[in-house]
Amino acid sequence: MSSTRRVFMMTVAVATLGIGMVRRALADDPVRVKLTLKDHRFTPDELRVPAGQPIEITVDNQDDKPEEFESKALKVEKVISGNRSATVKVAPLKAGRYPFEGEYNSKTARGVLIAE
Amino acid sequence: MLGSAVIVFREVLEASLIIGILMAALRGIPRRLTFGGGGVLLGVAGACVVAVFADTLFMAFEGSGQEVFNAAVLSTAVVMLGWHTVWMARHGRELATKARALGDKVHGGEATLWAVLIAIAVAVLREGSEVVLFLGGIIAGSSGDAASTLAGGAVGLGAGMVAGGLLYAGLVRIPMSYFWTATNLLIILLAAGLGAQAVGFLAQAGLVTQGSTTLWDTAAWLPEAGAVGTLLHTLIGYMERPSHVQGLVYAAIVAALILAGQVVQRRAPQSAASPTG
């Protein structure tokens, strides 16, 4: 009896949390920005976005080789196959500079996102 | 060549350290090498399959396939490592007394060997698929530097395996009285770190939006990409800028596993307790 009740309560809690997440995800319209990767360089290599809003970064890899788009500061890492594009989502940022790089070619594939 | 060596090393390191810890932690259990090796082979095979179907996989879940895949793989590792630590809490002392009697079958050892096999397989799968994608892309691109890139990759792979071997060698030198506590704690922190990483991937896919604010920022003091940062990140899940929800998940996993370990330890049959311990 009590264990059934516990399971029920937990289900309700998880469901509530889930609905909350979905509603929030739908409510915030993200700022969409785009990066192009060609010859292992990002264009633009400096992006400006408003602080405090969720961001969606699309990276269009125009090289034949795969690249790993990575930023510890933005908390993203994603492998993008050659001639493919991929999108990562970033939570609202405080004003500041957030460097990113292409891990496989980090000498040339570098850039910074500036939240202001 | 150096570039590809470093990249492959970084990818291999996590899996290699996990294998080093688990092989040390299974000391005294027969057939640990068979199961460990099986996990590695399974992981490598899986990594090749994932790399081949990468484009399809990555486009799944509205382009978030890669994040969902990583989160699923990491969660599996957390569950398996968690299971192992709880099993260890119950059988650790029994193992301590039997460690020197080789071939002595430890009750229930089979179960945790399977958990360890899966944990190793998924660790190799995740990191291995990135290595295969990276090296495969270089070969397919064939810009003349393929041979040197592959050589670099081999160096990186070797160096990563040495790191795991060194960790193993260091761990088995810990005196027996602390050994089980030390390895178990290490595995708990490792599991918590992987759990926090899984949450990171879910956030990147937009599936977790709660608690996204930064808990602390130690990027200036201890950068995660540096040598010490990388090691701490891999071993205990250190992050230079974790989000609140990542911190919460980390703490919850540590608390849950320690608690579960305490509970099963108290319920363990008295006969399992070592007369000397």
Side-chain angles (χ1 to χ4, degrees):
Chain A
M1 174 81 180
S2 73
S3 79
T4 317
R5 208 169 136 186
R6 211 177 303 148
V7 168
F8 175 74
M9 296 294 276
M10 274 173 68
T11 312
V12 169
V14 168
T16 313
L17 202 71
I19 291 165
M21 274 180 194
V22 171
R23 280 178 66 178
R24 231 187 104 174
L26 290 175
D28 293 337
D29 219 10
V31 175
R32 293 190 171 85
V33 290
K34 196 175 167 181
L35 287 168
T36 302
L37 189 67
K38 180 123 183 94
D39 300 323
H40 310 307
R41 280 175 201 283
F42 288 110
T43 317
D45 60 2
E46 195 179 296
L47 279 171
R48 283 172 192 277
V49 295
Q53 262 176 278
I55 301 155
E56 248 184 62
I57 307 172
T58 300
V59 184
D60 184 11
N61 181 7
Q62 295 185 354
D63 288 326
D64 293 331
K65 296 178 180 180
E67 183 57 271
E68 182 163 5
F69 180 63
E70 179 163 359
S71 169
K72 304 283 184 207
L74 294 168
K75 296 194 262 281
V76 295
E77 54 173 300
K78 189 160 186 167
V79 179
I80 308 162
S81 308
N83 299 307
R84 289 279 190 284
S85 72
T87 301
V88 293
K89 289 170 183 153
V90 177
L93 298 168
K94 274 196 253 176
R97 292 172 64 85
Y98 299 84
F100 56 80
E101 63 173 39
E103 202 197 343
Y104 298 163
N105 300 281
S106 56
K107 275 194 195 114
T108 53
R110 317 188 67 87
V112 62
L113 183 135
I114 299 166
E116 54 192 9
Chain B
M1 178 178 148
L2 184 67
S4 62
V6 171
I7 290 165
V8 172
F9 173 74
R10 294 176 76 102
E11 300 289 356
V12 169
L13 187 66
E14 182 172 301
S16 180
L17 293 182
I18 290 177
I19 295 168
I21 295 171
L22 288 174
M23 283 300 107
L26 288 181
R27 195 146 72 132
I29 298 184
R31 297 203 291 144
R32 60 176 175 158
L33 289 179
T34 313
F35 277 80
V40 173
L41 287 180
L42 213 64
V44 170
C48 294
V49 173
V50 167
V52 169
F53 295 104
D55 284 338
T56 318
L57 177 71
F58 292 177
M59 289 320 291
F61 299 99
E62 294 173 43
S64 295
Q66 192 179 145
E67 287 87 348
V68 173
F69 167 74
N70 277 320
V73 162
L74 286 164
S75 306
T76 308
V78 172
V79 172
M80 293 302 146
L81 293 175
W83 156 265
H84 174 76
T85 61
V86 174
W87 184 88
M88 236 13 172
R90 190 178 169 97
H91 297 281
R93 282 194 205 166
E94 187 182 351
L95 279 171
T97 48
K98 290 186 178 176
R100 282 166 215 92
L102 271 168
D104 211 351
K105 206 170 167 67
V106 177
H107 175 71
E110 197 87 329
T112 208
L113 279 170
W114 283 108
V116 165
L117 181 141
I118 295 171
I120 289 177
V122 293
V124 173
L125 169 67
R126 193 174 91 81
E127 307 288 334
S129 59
E130 291 192 3
V131 172
V132 176
L133 279 173
F134 167 67
L135 293 178
I138 300 287
I139 296 163
S142 68
S143 48
D145 56 357
S148 112
T149 304
L150 280 181
V155 171
L157 176 67
M161 287 163 70
V162 167
L166 285 176
L167 180 65
Y168 173 84
L171 285 175
V172 294
R173 274 174 182 72
I174 296 176
M176 263 302 173
S177 39
Y178 307 115
F179 181 76
W180 304 111
T181 316
T183 49
N184 232 23
L185 187 65
L186 197 52
I187 294 171
I188 288 173
L189 297 179
L190 181 74
L194 296 178
Q197 272 191 64
V199 174
F201 280 112
L202 292 177
Q204 179 179 317
L207 295 170
V208 171
T209 51
Q210 252 81 11
S212 64
T213 42
T214 303
L215 182 57
W216 70 66
D217 184 349
T218 45
W221 298 355
L222 187 56
E224 202 179 309
V228 180
T230 299
L231 198 66
L232 287 178
H233 172 72
T234 312
L235 284 179
I236 61 167
Y238 166 74
M239 291 185 189
E240 60 180 34
R241 292 183 230 210
S243 66
H244 274 88
V245 67
Q246 283 180 312
L248 187 71
V249 166
Y250 188 97
I253 292 175
V254 171
L257 291 180
I258 289 178
L259 195 71
Q262 296 287 327
V263 169
V264 300
Q265 204 167 19
R266 224 166 281 151
R267 287 191 190 163
Q270 283 303 307
S271 61
S274 137
T276 53

